[in-house]
Coordinates of all heavy atoms in Angstrom, one line a residue:
F4 N 0.6 48.8 -65.5 CA 0.5 48.3 -66.9 C 1.1 46.9 -67.1 O 0.6 46.1 -67.8 CB 1.2 49.4 -67.8 CG 1.1 49.1 -69.3 CD1 -0.1 49.4 -69.9 CD2 2.2 48.6 -70.0 CE1 -0.2 49.2 -71.3 CE2 2.0 48.4 -71.4 CZ 0.9 48.7 -72.0
E16 N -2.1 50.1 -75.5 CA -1.2 50.9 -76.3 C -1.8 51.4 -77.5 O -1.6 52.6 -77.9 CB 0.1 50.0 -76.6 CG 1.0 49.8 -75.5 CD 1.7 51.1 -75.1 OE1 2.1 52.0 -76.0 OE2 1.9 51.3 -73.9
R19 N -4.0 54.3 -76.6 CA -3.2 55.5 -76.2 C -2.5 56.1 -77.4 O -2.5 57.3 -77.5 CB -2.1 55.0 -75.2 CG -2.7 54.7 -73.8 CD -1.6 54.2 -72.9 NE -2.0 54.0 -71.5 CZ -1.2 53.6 -70.6 NH1 0.0 53.3 -70.8 NH2 -1.7 53.4 -69.3
N20 N -2.0 55.3 -78.3 CA -1.3 55.8 -79.4 C -2.2 56.6 -80.3 O -1.8 57.6 -80.9 CB -0.6 54.7 -80.2 CG 0.6 54.2 -79.5 OD1 1.2 54.9 -78.6 ND2 1.0 53.0 -79.8
I23 N -2.5 59.9 -78.5 CA -1.3 60.6 -78.6 C -1.1 61.2 -80.0 O -0.6 62.4 -80.2 CB -0.1 59.7 -78.2 CG1 -0.1 59.4 -76.7 CG2 1.3 60.3 -78.6 CD1 0.8 58.3 -76.2
H41 N 3.5 64.6 -79.3 CA 3.7 63.2 -78.9 C 4.3 63.1 -77.5 O 3.9 62.2 -76.7 CB 4.6 62.5 -79.9 CG 3.9 62.2 -81.2 ND1 4.6 61.7 -82.2 CD2 2.6 62.3 -81.6 CE1 3.7 61.5 -83.2 NE2 2.6 61.9 -82.8
L42 N 5.3 64.0 -77.2 CA 5.9 64.0 -75.9 C 4.8 64.3 -74.8 O 4.8 63.6 -73.7 CB 7.0 65.0 -75.8 CG 7.7 65.3 -74.5 CD1 8.3 64.0 -74.0 CD2 8.8 66.3 -74.7
G44 N 1.7 63.7 -75.0 CA 0.8 62.5 -74.9 C 1.5 61.4 -74.1 O 0.8 60.8 -73.3
L45 N 2.8 61.2 -74.3 CA 3.5 60.3 -73.5 C 3.4 60.6 -72.0 O 3.1 59.7 -71.1 CB 5.0 60.2 -73.9 CG 5.9 59.4 -73.0 CD1 5.6 57.9 -73.1 CD2 7.4 59.7 -73.4
L46 N 3.7 61.8 -71.6 CA 3.6 62.3 -70.2 C 2.1 62.2 -69.7 O 1.9 61.8 -68.5 CB 4.1 63.7 -70.1 CG 5.6 63.8 -70.2 CD1 6.0 65.3 -70.3 CD2 6.3 63.2 -69.0
F48 N -0.1 60.0 -70.4 CA -0.5 58.6 -70.1 C 0.4 58.0 -69.1 O 0.2 56.9 -68.6 CB -0.6 57.8 -71.4 CG -1.9 58.0 -72.2 CD1 -1.8 58.6 -73.4 CD2 -3.1 57.6 -71.6 CE1 -3.0 58.8 -74.1 CE2 -4.3 57.8 -72.3 CZ -4.2 58.4 -73.6
S49 N 1.5 58.6 -68.8 CA 2.5 58.0 -67.8 C 1.8 58.0 -66.4 O 1.2 59.0 -66.1 CB 3.8 58.9 -67.8 OG 4.6 58.3 -66.8
H51 N 3.6 58.0 -63.8 CA 4.6 58.6 -62.9 C 5.3 59.7 -63.6 O 5.4 59.7 -64.8 CB 5.5 57.5 -62.4 CG 6.4 56.9 -63.5 ND1 5.9 55.9 -64.3 CD2 7.7 57.2 -63.8 CE1 6.9 55.7 -65.2 NE2 7.9 56.4 -64.9
M53 N 8.4 61.6 -65.2 CA 9.4 61.0 -66.0 C 10.6 62.0 -66.1 O 10.5 63.2 -66.2 CB 8.9 60.7 -67.4 CG 7.8 59.6 -67.5 SD 7.2 59.3 -69.1 CE 8.6 58.3 -69.7
T54 N 11.8 61.4 -66.3 CA 13.0 62.1 -66.5 C 13.2 62.3 -68.1 O 12.6 61.6 -68.8 CB 14.3 61.4 -66.0 OG1 14.5 60.2 -66.7 CG2 14.2 61.1 -64.5
L55 N 14.1 63.2 -68.5 CA 14.4 63.3 -69.9 C 14.9 62.0 -70.5 O 14.6 61.7 -71.6 CB 15.4 64.4 -70.1 CG 14.9 65.9 -69.8 CD1 16.1 66.9 -70.0 CD2 13.8 66.2 -70.7
D56 N 15.7 61.3 -69.7 CA 16.3 60.1 -70.2 C 15.2 59.0 -70.4 O 15.2 58.4 -71.5 CB 17.3 59.5 -69.2 CG 18.6 60.3 -69.1 OD1 18.9 61.0 -70.1 OD2 19.2 60.3 -68.0
E57 N 14.2 59.0 -69.5 CA 13.1 58.0 -69.7 C 12.3 58.4 -70.9 O 11.9 57.5 -71.7 CB 12.2 58.0 -68.4 CG 12.9 57.4 -67.2 CD 12.1 57.6 -66.0 OE1 11.5 58.7 -65.8 OE2 12.0 56.6 -65.2
M58 N 12.0 59.7 -71.1 CA 11.2 60.1 -72.2 C 12.0 59.8 -73.5 O 11.4 59.3 -74.5 CB 10.9 61.6 -72.1 CG 10.0 62.0 -71.0 SD 9.7 63.8 -71.0 CE 10.5 64.2 -69.5
G59 N 13.3 60.1 -73.5 CA 14.1 59.8 -74.7 C 14.1 58.4 -75.1 O 14.0 58.0 -76.3
K60 N 14.2 57.5 -74.1 CA 14.2 56.1 -74.4 C 12.9 55.6 -74.9 O 12.8 54.9 -75.9 CB 14.5 55.3 -73.1 CG 14.6 53.8 -73.2 CD 15.0 53.2 -71.9 CE 15.0 51.7 -72.1 NZ 15.2 51.0 -70.8
E61 N 11.8 56.1 -74.3 CA 10.4 55.7 -74.7 C 10.1 56.2 -76.1 O 9.5 55.5 -76.9 CB 9.4 56.3 -73.7 CG 8.0 55.8 -73.9 CD 7.8 54.4 -73.4 OE1 8.5 53.9 -72.5 OE2 6.9 53.8 -74.0
M62 N 10.6 57.4 -76.4 CA 10.2 58.0 -77.7 C 11.3 57.8 -78.8 O 11.1 58.2 -79.9 CB 9.9 59.5 -77.6 CG 8.6 59.7 -76.8 SD 8.1 61.4 -76.8 CE 7.8 61.7 -78.5
E63 N 12.4 57.2 -78.4 CA 13.6 57.0 -79.3 C 14.0 58.4 -79.9 O 14.2 58.5 -81.1 CB 13.2 56.0 -80.3 CG 12.9 54.6 -79.8 CD 12.5 53.6 -80.8 OE1 12.5 53.9 -82.0 OE2 12.2 52.5 -80.4
M64 N 14.2 59.3 -79.0 CA 14.6 60.7 -79.4 C 15.8 61.0 -78.5 O 16.0 60.5 -77.4 CB 13.5 61.7 -79.2 CG 12.3 61.5 -80.2 SD 11.0 62.7 -79.9 CE 11.8 64.2 -80.4
S65 N 16.6 62.0 -79.0 CA 17.8 62.4 -78.3 C 17.4 63.2 -77.1 O 16.3 63.8 -77.0 CB 18.7 63.3 -79.2 OG 18.0 64.5 -79.4
M69 N 14.4 66.0 -76.4 CA 13.5 65.9 -75.3 C 13.5 67.2 -74.5 O 12.5 67.7 -74.1 CB 13.9 64.7 -74.4 CG 13.6 63.3 -74.9 SD 11.9 63.0 -75.1 CE 11.7 63.3 -76.9

Side-chain angles (χ1 to χ4, degrees):
F4 187 76
E16 282 293 324
R19 287 178 176 179
N20 287 340
I23 290 170
H41 286 173
L42 176 58
L45 171 70
L46 287 168
F48 283 113
S49 178
H51 65 280
M53 297 179 77
T54 66
L55 291 175
D56 291 333
E57 290 171 321
M58 290 180 250
K60 181 179 177 187
E61 187 76 27
M62 293 189 62
E63 299 179 1
M64 292 176 67
S65 71
M69 288 296 102

